[in-house]
Amino acid sequence: MDSVMIKNIIVYYAAVEKLEQLYIEQKITKEQMQKAKRYVAQKYSLQTELLDSFLR
């Protein structure tokens, strides 16, 4: 894993944390949160299933 991939993973986790906080505060729906998570993962060429498994 190179430094760019590590940076992208960190960006993904930061985005997921913020999205989950917005969902908890009821500022976005669960569907919006999931769609945004997929978008961020796709933008940074990451596999959401792999990353989500680390969040659990």
Side-chain angles (χ1 to χ4, degrees), residues 11-27:
V11 169
Y12 175 80
Y13 281 122
V16 167
E17 283 289 320
K18 185 60 179 177
L19 289 166
E20 288 177 353
Q21 185 63 38
L22 291 171
Y23 173 66
I24 290 168
E25 295 172 359
Q26 298 180 347
K27 295 185 179 185

Side-chain angles (χ1 to χ4, degrees), residues 12 15-16 19-20 32-42 48 52 55:
Y12 175 80
V16 167
L19 289 166
E20 288 177 353
Q32 289 171 320
M33 177 185 67
Q34 291 170 337
K35 184 176 180 182
K37 284 170 61 176
R38 283 191 301 270
Y39 170 79
V40 172
Q42 183 180 26
T48 52
D52 287 343
L55 289 175

Side-chain angles (χ1 to χ4, degrees), residues 2 4 14 16 28-29 33 36 45 55:
D2 62 5
V4 173
V16 167
I28 62 173
T29 65
M33 177 185 67
S45 302
L55 289 175

